[in-house]
Amino acid sequence: MRINLIHEGAGFLEYEIRQIVEHAYKMRDMGLEVIWENIGDPIAMREEVAPWIKEIVQGLVAENASWGYCPTPGVLETREFLADQVNVREGGSRVTPDDILFFNGVADAIDKVYDLAQRNARIMLPSPIYSTHSSNESKRGGYKPLQFRLDPKNHWLPDMDEVRNIIKYNPQISGIGLVNPDNPTGIVYPREIMDEFAEIARQNRLFLMVDEIYIHINYNGAKRLHLSQVVGDDVPAIALRGISKEYPWPGARCAWMEVLNKKADPNFSTYIDSIRNAKMLEVCSTTLPQMSIPRVFGSPLYPDHLERRAKMFEKRANEAYEIFSKLDGVIVHRPQGAFYLSVVFQDGVFHPGQKLPIANPQIRSYVDTLCADAPGDKRFVYNLLGSKGICIVPLSGFATDVGGFRMTMLNPDDAKRNGIFREIADAIETFLKH
């Protein structure tokens, strides 16, 4: 080309959750039967959507309005409904329908949040972190993300002194981003930690952003806590919500941003306006899923729906914990939210030459090639895939130097799910003893 077309941050666009699929497809072509435990899609894992939710959506298809454009911020009735939900939360910030902005999935919202911050305004993130956040933050300026550590030896909690120090010595930090409940670790940040993040943001004139896509999937004693309940009336903040994990309806690509305390800072207010204007260039987000929200969220059946799913994931989380916590050489904590389990390999357990038995020589050769320059957790994940056909995600794919893996807890077949957990546990023991 006569000029270089490549964006300086293009090399940071990584999404290990789907990149591992490319390797799985190649091994499948070599005769491997693959068990998909890599991506958080309940529908792909055969969860049945509740009939009453399907009936609501089916009824909306018959309404002519669901086939057309909607206002750029989103369907007004839905934004009014969601604003009312925010405003009744105990101790929460207050919003208007104009503070709600719809997107085609949380990933679309994440992209806008990072892309429309100026190049040198950094958004500090935890490590590990869902890779859509870290990749977008890095892509904007062509740099590695600024991160504080979630400690697997302390129930994945952050060291808040480290958070303060990073902010102190990096004046370009303009915001803090979190996922709560967290992906990939499965933790739910306790109230005192969230209050401390809010106070740090207040003292340093930062904004807070929390990805709350799993906010209604809490269990094992973890309390649901919305960002709006901790930022008061003076900390600028963004909460990201959606229906993909709750209904569940990931194919709807329907999410929204709750802008909190927009007027608390004029620079933040202009920044939010730029996000809204960028959305205007796309006209609007998909109409029909938005129209479903007041009818589904407002149904008297919805609280029981959320409770049933929370208990379902609590059972699976405890089942997985009981299996993996008995292993030597790993660290695992009982998940409290979302539907993932992260297992961390302890320091010093990896060494060259560790392998799992793979009968197919073509797959053996392919796995060995992948492992040539890979960190220990990727070598385990590639060997597990080639040996047992189980596709999970290396934890190093979540912008962290902590070696481990993340798997889902979505398989609805109790016997098969338990068998998969035990096969992975057996593979860990074999791999670490090799």
Side-chain angles (χ1 to χ4, degrees):
M1 301 300 294
R2 62 187 287 181
I3 63 169
N4 182 13
L5 294 175
I6 302 170
H7 190 285
E8 61 185 337
F12 291 97
L13 295 175
E14 297 181 351
Y15 194 66
E16 192 74 49
I17 299 165
R18 287 189 180 268
Q19 286 169 339
I20 191 71
V21 172
E22 295 180 12
H23 300 308
Y25 282 160
K26 289 180 180 179
M27 292 187 213
R28 189 177 65 178
D29 291 341
M30 299 173 193
L32 183 71
E33 184 176 344
V34 179
I35 300 169
W36 305 102
E37 291 290 342
N38 60 304
I39 193 165
D41 182 349
I43 303 302
M45 294 302 290
R46 304 182 307 282
E47 180 177 347
E48 285 292 325
V49 178
W52 65 270
I53 295 179
K54 288 183 177 180
E55 289 174 7
I56 288 173
V57 173
Q58 288 165 354
L60 286 169
V61 172
E63 295 188 19
N64 210 48
S66 71
W67 293 74
Y69 290 139
C70 66
T72 292
V75 174
L76 178 58
E77 177 191 2
T78 301
R79 289 185 288 122
E80 290 173 338
F81 175 85
L82 292 172
D84 287 343
Q85 284 206 324
V86 173
N87 293 336
V88 299
R89 293 172 192 158
E90 185 177 354
S93 300
R94 297 296 179 260
V95 300
T96 72
D98 289 338
D99 295 315
I100 310 290
L101 179 60
F102 269 86
F103 295 85
N104 289 317
V106 165
D108 177 30
I110 290 170
D111 183 72
K112 296 292 190 300
V113 166
Y114 291 98
D115 268 9
L116 289 164
Q118 67 108 331
R119 183 182 185 277
N120 294 317
R122 308 294 299 274
I123 299 175
M124 185 174 64
L125 300 169
S127 172
I129 180 67
Y130 181 55
S131 48
T132 299
H133 287 276
S134 56
S135 289
N136 272 285
E137 165 64 5
S138 296
K139 175 193 69 175
R140 183 177 71 254
Y143 38 54
K144 291 184 178 180
L146 280 169
Q147 294 177 278
F148 58 91
R149 182 182 177 85
L150 300 181
D151 187 357
K153 296 179 181 178
N154 187 30
H155 299 277
W156 290 113
L157 294 177
D159 179 339
M160 299 307 288
D161 288 335
E162 181 195 20
V163 171
R164 290 188 182 87
N165 280 331
I166 293 173
I167 293 170
K168 179 180 179 180
Y169 293 107
N170 292 274
Q172 68 273 42
I173 291 174
S174 60
I176 303 170
L178 305 169
V179 182
N180 189 36
D182 188 54
N183 174 12
T185 68
I187 65 161
V188 174
Y189 289 96
R191 176 75 196 230
E192 58 270 22
I193 295 292
M194 290 302 298
D195 283 341
E196 200 162 353
F197 272 119
E199 185 57 31
I200 289 171
R202 183 177 291 110
Q203 292 174 1
N204 291 277
R205 297 175 62 205
L206 309 178
F207 77 91
L208 277 181
M209 176 184 63
V210 178
D211 181 340
E212 294 185 343
I213 191 65
Y214 300 99
I215 193 66
H216 286 153
I217 306 177
N218 297 266
Y219 44 83
N220 278 329
K223 302 297 183 183
R224 181 183 307 153
L225 182 67
H226 289 271
L227 179 60
S228 66
Q229 295 174 275
V230 300
V231 295
D233 59 4
D234 60 341
V235 177
I238 297 170
L240 303 177
R241 297 277 310 279
I243 64 174
S244 63
K245 315 300 181 180
E246 283 191 30
Y247 279 25
W249 193 6
R253 309 311 302 140
C254 180
W256 64 94
M257 172 188 293
E258 298 171 358
V259 180
L260 309 169
N261 303 322
K262 178 185 175 184
K263 296 180 180 178
D265 184 280
N267 187 258
F268 179 75
S269 180
T270 302
Y271 167 62
I272 294 298
D273 287 343
S274 73
I275 295 174
R276 183 184 180 116
N277 291 340
K279 193 64 195 177
M280 197 175 296
L281 298 177
E282 300 175 13
V283 182
C284 66
S285 297
T286 311
T287 302
L288 189 151
Q290 293 182 47
M291 291 176 65
S292 74
I293 291 170
R295 308 180 196 200
V296 174
F297 280 15
S299 168
L301 300 175
Y302 201 61
D304 288 343
H305 168 80
L306 295 177
E307 178 72 13
R308 176 188 63 79
R309 295 186 80 238
K311 287 181 178 179
M312 177 179 75
F313 289 121
E314 180 178 79
K315 173 181 178 293
R316 296 176 187 179
N318 293 338
E319 171 190 47
Y321 174 79
E322 292 303 323
I323 292 171
F324 290 102
S325 63
K326 292 180 171 63
L327 300 178
D328 293 328
V330 302
I331 301 170
V332 61
H333 297 291
R334 218 181 277 275
Q336 300 173 300
F339 35 63
Y340 307 103
L341 176 79
S342 281
V343 175
V344 172
F345 291 102
Q346 292 182 349
D347 295 339
V349 300
F350 292 128
H351 61 78
Q354 288 170 315
K355 295 183 178 181
L356 292 173
I358 298 175
N360 185 316
Q362 190 179 11
I363 296 176
R364 173 80 274 167
S365 177
Y366 183 71
V367 168
D368 288 346
T369 300
L370 291 176
C371 291
D373 299 310
D377 64 342
K378 285 192 176 183
R379 288 192 284 112
F380 172 74
V381 166
Y382 295 148
N383 271 272
L384 178 71
L385 179 59
S387 176
K388 297 180 178 291
I390 301 173
C391 184
I392 58 177
V393 187
L395 206 56
S396 57
F398 292 90
T400 183
D401 59 1
V402 175
F405 63 86
R406 188 207 75 171
M407 65 176 297
T408 75
M409 299 181 294
L410 291 172
N411 194 314
D413 186 310
D414 289 345
K416 287 184 179 179
R417 186 182 63 254
N418 187 273
I420 291 167
F421 291 162
R422 294 189 182 279
E423 282 205 70
I424 297 174
D426 290 344
I428 291 172
E429 291 184 319
T430 302
F431 189 80
L432 296 185
K433 289 177 181 177
H434 193 281

